[in-house]
């Protein structure tokens, strides 16, 4: 399986033409990795509730030079996923596991 590129987006507030402030998703960075669907048995029951709500996992083999938080989302072509949990297993800085929830389709 070959790695694919994913866009990391963060929400920023922008002023509309009538002066309202609206959230807008803006590209923040890019990572290469492997996206996979989680089955109910793939999640350890002792992990927190945010991980239990996740539907997908993105494995990022090489750490990016920026911080990914649960306030961001991942875009894969026309689909987007909310980040529910970011895990640096055993704090070894070897790779990241991003737990995601499918959010919908970009139009």
């Amino acid at each position: 399986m070959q790695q694919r590129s994913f866009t990391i987006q963060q929400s920023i507030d922008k002023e509309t033409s009538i002066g309202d402030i609206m959230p807008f998703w803006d590209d923040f960075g890019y990572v290469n990795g492997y996206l996979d669907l989680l089955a109910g048995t793939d999640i350890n029951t002792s992990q927190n509730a945010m991980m239990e709500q996740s539907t997908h996992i993105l494995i990022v083999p090489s750490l990016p030079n920026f911080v990914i938080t649960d306030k961001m989302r991942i875009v894969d072509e026309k689909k987007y996923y909310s980040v529910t949990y970011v895990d640096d297993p055993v704090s070894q800085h070897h790779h990241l596991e991003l737990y995601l929830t499918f959010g919908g389709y970009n139009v």
Side-chain angles (χ1 to χ4, degrees):
M1 178 186 282
Q2 187 172 359
Q3 292 184 45
R4 295 183 16 230
S5 181
F6 299 90
T7 304
I8 309 292
Q9 292 184 330
Q10 67 179 355
S11 180
I12 60 171
D13 291 334
K14 283 194 170 185
E15 188 172 342
T16 66
S17 60
I18 60 172
D20 291 338
I21 302 296
M22 299 289 295
F24 173 78
W25 287 102
D26 192 35
D27 291 357
F28 180 76
Y30 302 90
V31 295
N32 291 320
Y34 306 95
L35 181 67
D36 198 11
L37 182 67
L38 283 175
T41 57
D42 290 342
I43 300 174
N44 186 331
T45 57
S46 65
Q47 293 172 327
N48 71 33
M50 293 307 286
M51 291 172 62
E52 291 176 2
Q53 296 172 5
S54 300
T55 58
H56 292 75
I57 187 168
L58 176 61
I59 305 296
V60 181
S62 299
L63 296 181
N65 58 359
F66 52 86
V67 176
I68 301 172
T69 71
D70 60 358
K71 305 286 187 241
M72 297 176 169
R73 74 180 190 176
I74 306 296
V75 177
D76 176 24
E77 296 177 7
K78 298 202 182 291
K79 298 177 186 175
Y80 67 90
Y81 303 85
S82 300
V83 177
T84 56
Y85 186 74
V86 179
D87 190 17
D88 176 4
V90 199
S91 298
Q92 291 295 305
H93 312 301
H94 177 267
H95 72 280
L96 292 179
E97 297 175 0
L98 306 179
Y99 289 84
L100 312 171
T101 301
F102 177 71
Y105 294 90
N106 286 335
V107 279

